[in-house]
Structures are given as structure tokens and as C-alpha cells.
Amino acid sequence: MARMTMIEAVRSAMEVSMGRDDGVVVFGEDVGYFGGVFRATQGLQAKYGKTRCFDAPINESGILGTAIGMAAYGLKPCVEIQFADYMYPAYDQITQEAARIRYRSNGDFTCPIVVRMPTGGGIFGGQTHSQSPEALFTHVCGLKVIVPSNPYDAKGLLIAAIEDPDPVMFLEPKRLYNGPFDGHHEKPVTPWSKHELGEVPEGHYTIPIGKAEIRRPGSAVTVVAYGTMVHVALAAAEETGIDAEVIDLRSLLPLDLDTIVQSVKKTGRCVVVHEATLTSGFGGEVVSLVQEHCFYSLEAPVVRVTGWDTPYPHAQEWDYFPGPARVGRALQEVMEG
Amino acid sequence: MNEVPHLSLHVPEPAVRPGGQPDFSNVKIAKAGAVPRPAVDVAPEEIRDLAYSIIRVLNRDGEAVGPWAGLLSDEELLAGLRNMMKLRAFDARMLMAQRQGKTSFYMQHLGEEAVSCAFRKALAKGDMNFPTYRQAGLLIADDYPMVEMMNQIYSNEADPLRGRQLPIMYSSKAHGFFTISGNLATQYVQAVGWAMASAIRNDTKIAAAWIGDGSTAESDFHSALVFASTYKAPVILNIVNNQWAISTFQGIARGGSGTFAARGLGFGIPALRVDGNDYLAVHAVAKWAAERARRNLGPTLIEYVTYRVGAHSTSDDPSAYRPKTESEAWPLGDPVLRLKKHLVLRGVWSEERHAQAEAEILDEVIQAQKQAESHGTLHAGGKPSVRDIFEGVYAEMPAHIRRQRQKAGY
């Protein structure tokens, strides 16, 4: 075991995967010699050579398009989009190509690629360094969508994603890269070295895609969260004293519906939280499934705490980011309901 | 006082519209044999002229002339003629099948048969094409069974794609034919990635990308050229310029660029322009580009100058936007008739043998059609299972799709 930040865990996952399978190639903007703007690929080119880890032109559809072609050949590309906010030029390749190749060719061709992209806000990233576009992927049949919340999961899930036979969108909350963040921006950041999930095995292990994890068992209300919001939800539970059960989804697609349903049937209440905007966000899907499967167990309306339906602002960062105070108020609201 | 004139928007127009006299006087056509054949390791900047000329082998009299001639044997040329005739007969039957309601949709290759049929013969087993919807000659020339193509077109119980795909969106890994997508240009950059993978693996296989004149305006065309250029990918970047993108004449996509081939020059990619209706020229140029790719010399861009004689698809009526007789005025003629003439001149073919071959091929196509129809057509007979809707979205069916399949009753 070693102490790792989320960045180091992500890097370790690629390093381990490249060592086990010489078909794994890593490329993207600045990921080669420089090792990535977040240092996620540092040292990979030096260790595995320029044809296994290399810099790409600034062209997201080109990165995805070539990755799809490589996967059709038989490689396992793990590519990086520098910020999730810049995946849009690649959206055609992701949704109409990567997601559909197995289906439309009846398995004649497949697309085992991983697309890593730093996501989420809380870093004064403004409009194009803060977005959470996961709902634009979960609506696409044929994709898998993962958002880890800690170093241990990030490594195990990324290795699983690289080994998965289908395309995986791997969204890394950049606010969590160096330490857990519960929304208390006024407090100093604690590093992952002080967190139990910063303990990461150095070798190979996987975490199954499609399995959620209960981060805090509780009996009063179920909080469904992922990414940075897991830590915010945990803080809100402690601060309100409400005995919330906090579920970290980890995989959004496929979704671990059983864990959610089991929990809500027990608590009778549910709050769904995400950084992404409200309308048609992934929370809408969770709420819909909860009412469909837990209707007779519910004792209050299901509540969503999310980013506002606006572009992500700069100056008003902490009035936009759904912090522990807002989540706490929602917990109190459903307990009264 | 403002002396600056008001601006006006330039919108290109084809020379002639319906009712007008077809006019191709603006198409500059080099004489057969006039364009030199450079060494495959030539520096791209030394052959910039080739992006503005047209490489041609067959002259007006049907003779094969010049430095690009002499690569194919009688047998290979006869096989080429047969493949083009087969594709044409296949198209005609499937067009009719669509009109008879046996399928929903079809797109023919009329006038463009030489491009895909001749190109396929320049590739080796294991090479991979990333085709558009108008290169079925790649399958025909590789002896992919016509019955399988028809099963796909009919979406019947034997459809290799289980009824999931629109007709003609074939897929065959074994025949080096990547799954066709409805989204234009996406495959162009995927081909570059496949070629990069072959280079990463130190393999000997090469890739071929395909795009039409209209789709070169898509951003993935640019993406493909950037990546191919940067990594010197072993890929042949084909542009089939058939003058038309549905109703839009090629000038809308080409803009002020002299030719489509010339677009390669800015990327440092050697670019050739070839008579797309000349089987010998298409094959010679493709072979040149394939050799360059195989020798790790990098990508080549090829523009095939041809003409879309048929409608864009069975949902299109070209008389609404171009003169009805325009294809007859097309100066590069008909690829089948030109190769036929050449073979007659060579003394290995005749009118009688041609008529006989036509009859044989028609019979072959009809037999295949009967066989395919025994497995059903779109609205009659055997069809894929409803279960097939849900299979293959992922390698393993996730719980939510299984629940939906059960809800559908399967």
C-alpha cells in the first residue's frame, strides 16, 4: 500500500495497465513529454516510450476519432480530454461512433476505449473549466459513465474501465485531485494522505463498474451523490446531525439501482445531489427511478440539490456550488416533509 | 462621404441548372499519359502540380498510355470489368427492389464503379477500408457474397446486422470493410487512427479512408489530415469527387480551393488527382499510394474525379437541381464502357462476350436475390427477432436493458 493523491492513483492505474497490456496507449493534449496539465500522465512516456504515450494536436474529435480507429484495430486507447468542458467537439465521435460501433456492426467491430476528463467546479474555473456534463453521456446508450470520489476508487475503477470491452467516459472531479473537498472553501485543504481512501495498493486491482458504495450508513434519509458531492453530503450529515445514509454511486451508467432502492426503502426519504445543472440532469433520472421503485416507502417528496440552471459563473463560485449548507437545508426539509 | 462600397455575400452556383445546356468546359482535363509518375519516396513539395492535374491512362481511343499504364494483366483487367458490371447490375436490381417495396432505401454507384472496384485490388488482405455508403465495390471486388449484402438491405432473418442498420450500411471485418455510419466524415479520422495503431504495433497493414466531395467540409476531414500529417500514418486518404452532394454542387464544399486534392498540400501530404472513371488510372494511383504507406513514407491524398450519374439515393430526384442530360455530357465518360473498349482493343474481349457476361451476371444477381428473399424482405417473410433490439449494446447486457427486454415480452 502507498499514500496516493487522486492524480497519483489515476497515473498508477495507467502505469499498471500499460505494464500488463502492451495494447494500452495513452494520448491527448500535453499528456506526453510534459505529463499532462494535471500531471496525470507524468513519467509514462519516459517509461513506455513515445508510441505508447504521446502528445496529440488540439483537436478533440481527432483524439476520439483516432482512438476509435485504434480500438477497431485491436488496441486499448485511454485518451484524455483536457477539461470535460472541451469534450463537445468530440461529442459526435463519442455518441454516434464509439457508443454505437458494437451495436451497429453486431459485434463485428468493438470500441474498448476510455476517455478521461477532469470535471466539476469549486476551483474558480469559470464557465469552461467547471462543467459537469455527465448527463450528456448517461443519455447515450452504449456508453459507460464513471465518476470516482477518492484515490482508491479512482485507480480501481480506471483499471476496470481500461479492461472493459466497451467505451467508458471517466470523469475525474479535479477539485478532488489533491485532497477531499466538502465544500468548506474557507477551511484549508486537507491532503489525501490524511484520508483512509488515500491508501492505495501499488499493483493491480479493480473495482467493478456498476456498483455503488455506501460511504455513511444511516437510517433517516438516503443521499445519492457522486464525485465531489459525496464529501459535501458527508459534511452536511455531520453538521445537521441527521442520520443520513450517503451512497457514492461511482458508476452512473450502468447504475446500481439495487443499492439505492434498498436504502430508500429503509429510510423512506431521499435527497439527490450533483454539481451539474438541475433541468434534465442525472438527478432527474435518479428521482424518477426512486419514485418508480420506492413509491410506497416514501414519506416525503424526493429533493434535488444541484447547480443552478445557469452557466457556471466565476465570481459567484460559492453561491453556485451546492455546498454543505444547501445540502444540509435539503436534509432538514425532507425530514420535516 | 463614404467611398467604401457595401459588402455582398458570394454564394457559388453551378454553371447550369435544370433546363440549361450541360456545360463542363470549366473542367480542365489532362491528356491521357501526360502526367508523370514520380518515385513513391518523392518529397511532397516536388509534386504539387499533381494536385491540380488529372492522372489518366486510357485515351479517347481506348489505349493505355503513359507512365501510369502497364500494371495490370489481361486477367486482372477482365476481372475488374466483371466486378464493375456486377456492381452495376447489383445496383439496378436493388433499386428495383426498393421501388417494389422490398426495402426502404437504396443508394447506387452508377458512374463511380471504377473507384471502389479498382482501389480494392491495390490493397492486400488485412488492410482496412473505412468506407462511406458509396463504396460497395470494395466488397464486390473482394468477393463478399452478394447474398449477404442483400440480406442486410432486406433486414431479413439472415441479416448479418440483425435488422439494426439502415440498408447498405454494411460491415465486414473479414473483408477489410469498417462498419458504415450514417454520420458523414467520422470514418475519415478513424481510418487514420487504425493506421496509427498498425504503426504502433510495427505491423505491415495499411488503412484507407473514404469521403465524398461534400463531406470534406466536415470538421473530421480536417482532423484526419492533421493527425495523418503529424504522425505520418500509413493511410490513403481518398476523396471521391462526384460533383454533387445531394443537391449541392461541389463548389459549395470546395470554395476557392483549386481542387479537393490541393487541400492536402497545406498539410504536407502528397496529393494526386485521378480520372475516377479510368479503371487503370485508379488502380495505378492507389497502388502508388499503398506502396508509399507500406514503406512507412506516410499518407497520400487522392481525389477521384468522377460524376454521380444516378440520384443521390432512392429518396432523391436530381431533375430538380441539375440538367437531366448532364451525365451524358460528362467528359470522362462511363467507366465500364471505357474499360470494355480497352479490352476489345487489346483483343481479349468482344461485344459478344460482353453481352454474354452481362447475361451471366444478371443471372448471378437474380439467383442471389432469390436466395436472399427466401430469408425475407423488409415487410414480408423472416425477420430478425425483437430480442435483437436489446443485444449488443454492450458486451454484457446490463440490468436496465434486460428489464426493458423483458417488458417488451422477450
Side-chain angles (χ1 to χ4, degrees):
Chain A
M1 295 291 256
R3 290 281 174 183
M4 291 189 199
T5 66
M6 195 144 142
I7 279 288
E8 288 162 343
V10 163
R11 183 194 307 147
S12 176
M14 285 185 273
E15 193 174 341
V16 166
S17 299
M18 291 172 89
R20 285 166 62 92
D21 180 351
D22 64 6
V24 177
V25 292
V26 170
F27 65 101
E29 296 156 21
D30 302 294
V31 310
Y33 181 83
F34 180 59
V37 294
F38 290 104
R39 323 307 298 153
T41 56
Q42 193 168 30
L44 296 182
Q45 186 177 83
K47 182 164 180 180
Y48 292 109
K50 278 201 301 184
T51 61
R52 298 284 306 283
C53 175
F54 52 91
D55 291 318
I58 303 174
N59 183 323
E60 288 77 14
S61 75
I63 291 169
L64 257 296
T66 51
I68 290 165
M70 288 179 198
Y73 174 91
L75 298 187
K76 294 202 144 200
C78 177
V79 300
E80 179 180 300
I81 300 292
Q82 203 159 74
F83 286 87
D85 315 60
Y86 301 132
M87 69 82 186
Y88 301 95
Y91 200 57
D92 190 29
Q93 289 285 350
I94 292 170
T95 60
Q96 308 275 47
E97 300 293 321
R100 305 276 174 77
I101 281 170
R102 176 188 296 279
Y103 188 75
R104 74 172 196 232
S105 73
N106 193 26
D108 196 20
F109 294 92
T110 60
C111 190
I113 65 169
V114 177
V115 187
R116 293 180 42 247
M117 56 188 103
T119 187
I123 57 145
F124 281 95
Q127 294 186 22
T128 55
H129 298 79
S130 309
Q131 294 173 28
S132 299
E134 61 272 13
L136 295 172
F137 298 129
T138 54
H139 191 55
V140 181
C141 43
L143 297 181
K144 295 187 177 180
V145 182
I146 292 174
V147 189
S149 70
N150 60 73
Y152 180 82
D153 281 4
K155 179 171 174 180
L157 285 165
L158 182 52
I159 294 175
I162 290 169
E163 293 172 1
D164 195 276
D166 290 309
V168 182
M169 302 295 114
F170 197 85
L171 285 79
E172 300 164 6
K174 59 182 120 29
R175 178 68 224 215
L176 301 180
Y177 269 159
N178 295 311
F181 179 67
D182 62 9
H184 284 294
H185 53 94
E186 69 286 356
K187 290 185 194 162
V189 178
T190 53
W192 279 114
S193 60
K194 294 199 165 53
H195 194 285
E196 59 175 3
L197 291 169
E199 282 278 338
V200 179
E202 293 188 65
H204 176 270
Y205 70 96
T206 58
I207 290 175
I209 294 170
K211 288 270 175 274
E213 180 79 9
I214 295 172
R215 295 292 169 205
R216 183 193 189 283
S219 57
V221 51
T222 300
V223 181
V224 179
Y226 51 90
T228 308
M229 297 311 290
V230 170
H231 304 278
V232 174
L234 290 169
E238 294 310 315
E239 289 159 23
T240 56
I242 293 170
D243 187 22
E245 178 148 290
V246 177
I247 298 175
D248 179 355
L249 289 180
R250 306 197 290 197
S251 297
L252 274 54
L253 183 65
L255 182 69
D256 186 352
L257 183 60
D258 292 345
T259 296
I260 299 172
V261 169
Q262 212 171 4
S263 175
V264 176
K265 280 189 172 167
K266 178 178 72 177
T267 63
R269 291 177 164 85
C270 182
V271 173
V272 184
V273 296
H274 58 60
E275 288 180 61
T277 52
L278 177 73
T279 302
S280 301
F282 187 67
E285 180 64 24
V286 176
V287 170
S288 180
L289 287 166
V290 166
Q291 81 81 26
E292 188 183 329
H293 292 270
C294 312
F295 185 75
Y296 296 105
S297 307
L298 286 174
E299 292 173 41
V302 184
V303 167
R304 287 177 284 173
V305 186
T306 71
W308 309 120
D309 278 342
T310 69
Y312 205 111
H314 184 246
Q316 303 91 333
E317 176 86 87
W318 305 117
D319 297 297
Y320 183 92
F321 183 90
R326 266 172 67 196
V327 176
R329 279 199 296 279
L331 291 178
Q332 283 158 343
E333 185 188 327
V334 293
M335 291 314 294
E336 288 157 14
Chain B
M1 279 283 286
N2 188 355
E3 295 299 319
V4 180
H6 288 286
L7 298 168
S8 64
L9 182 70
H10 170 67
V11 181
E13 270 292 323
V16 189
R17 285 297 192 185
Q21 266 309 86
D23 178 14
F24 288 107
S25 56
N26 59 333
V27 181
K28 289 193 191 68
I29 295 166
K31 272 177 72 162
V35 178
R37 184 178 195 277
V40 291
D41 59 355
V42 69
E45 60 271 18
E46 285 171 30
I47 56 165
R48 294 178 69 89
D49 289 355
L50 271 62
Y52 295 94
S53 191
I54 301 183
I55 295 165
R56 305 178 65 225
V57 172
L58 293 176
N59 68 15
R60 203 181 289 268
D61 299 325
E63 295 160 327
V65 296
W68 295 87
L71 297 175
L72 290 164
S73 68
D74 290 344
E75 290 70 31
E76 287 169 324
L77 287 170
L78 287 166
L81 180 68
R82 205 168 181 96
N83 285 331
M84 289 199 289
M85 292 168 72
K86 213 174 185 181
L87 178 56
R88 187 166 290 188
F90 181 90
D91 272 348
R93 292 300 294 186
M94 290 297 100
L95 189 67
M96 204 193 304
Q98 191 275 339
R99 296 299 186 222
Q100 292 166 340
K102 292 175 179 171
T103 184
S104 63
F105 183 74
Y106 191 70
M107 298 176 105
Q108 26 165 11
H109 304 74
L110 196 59
E112 301 176 39
E113 292 89 347
V115 177
S116 50
C117 288
F119 185 89
R120 187 66 189 85
K121 296 299 187 184
L123 292 188
K125 195 92 195 145
D127 294 339
M128 185 64 71
N129 282 286
F130 286 73
T132 77
Y133 47 65
R134 224 187 291 277
Q135 279 88 43
L138 297 170
L139 289 173
I140 297 271
D142 200 50
D143 296 323
Y144 184 80
M146 282 191 289
V147 180
E148 290 291 289
M149 295 168 77
M150 291 172 176
N151 287 336
Q152 197 281 325
I153 290 165
Y154 288 143
S155 287
N156 63 21
E157 64 188 11
D159 175 4
L161 306 183
R162 315 306 299 140
R164 295 174 188 151
Q165 265 286 40
L166 201 65
I168 73 162
M169 305 267 178
Y170 316 106
S171 173
S172 176
K173 194 174 193 171
H175 288 266
F177 192 94
F178 187 70
T179 158
I180 295 179
S181 167
N183 291 60
L184 298 177
T186 50
Q187 74 286 344
Y188 215 58
V189 65
Q190 292 163 2
V192 176
W194 197 97
M196 287 168 68
S198 183
I200 287 169
R201 284 294 204 189
N202 305 125
D203 202 343
T204 57
K205 301 184 191 101
I206 63 170
W210 292 89
I211 203 166
D213 46 283
S215 302
T216 61
E218 291 279 6
S219 51
D220 277 342
F221 174 74
H222 172 264
S223 303
L225 265 59
V226 172
F227 278 71
S229 168
T230 298
Y231 302 107
K232 293 201 186 305
V235 62
I236 306 172
L237 299 160
N238 298 304
I239 302 170
V240 183
N241 176 8
N242 67 13
Q243 314 300 319
W244 291 96
I246 307 186
S247 73
T248 311
F249 93 112
Q250 45 88 20
I252 292 286
R254 179 176 51 76
S257 177
T259 65
F260 289 100
R263 297 232 193 266
L265 300 180
F267 293 85
I269 297 174
L272 310 178
R273 213 157 164 260
V274 58
D275 179 347
N277 292 7
D278 180 340
Y279 187 94
L280 287 82
V282 169
H283 177 266
V285 166
K287 204 171 159 62
W288 188 90
E291 197 186 333
R292 261 184 64 78
R294 269 187 233 293
R295 287 177 52 182
N296 214 32
L297 296 164
T300 304
L301 186 123
I302 304 172
E303 175 185 346
Y304 303 88
V305 183
T306 182
Y307 184 85
R308 195 197 78 209
V309 176
H312 166 69
S313 72
T314 48
S315 309
D316 175 48
D317 173 16
S319 69
Y321 51 79
R322 68 183 191 189
K324 274 186 175 155
T325 54
E326 195 175 81
S327 66
E328 290 154 30
W330 176 243
L332 296 175
D334 178 282
V336 173
L337 296 182
R338 284 175 66 192
L339 182 55
K340 175 188 163 196
K341 187 172 184 178
H342 174 61
L343 288 168
V344 171
L345 198 70
R346 266 168 105 116
V348 294
W349 201 240
S350 65
E351 286 296 342
E352 295 70 35
R353 288 174 72 176
H354 195 81
Q356 193 190 340
E358 263 179 344
E360 282 166 12
I361 287 165
L362 181 61
D363 188 53
E364 198 185 333
V365 175
I366 289 170
Q367 289 310 315
Q369 192 178 9
K370 277 188 183 150
Q371 206 186 325
E373 288 181 8
S374 74
H375 295 292
T377 58
L378 181 60
H379 300 295
K383 19 166 123 309
S385 167
V386 172
R387 208 183 167 85
D388 284 315
I389 299 173
F390 303 95
E391 301 281 350
V393 182
Y394 299 91
E396 271 182 62
M397 190 178 294
H400 68 286
I401 296 183
R402 194 166 52 248
R403 280 195 296 273
Q404 290 170 29
R405 189 194 71 204
Q406 285 159 356
K407 203 167 193 173
Y410 287 81

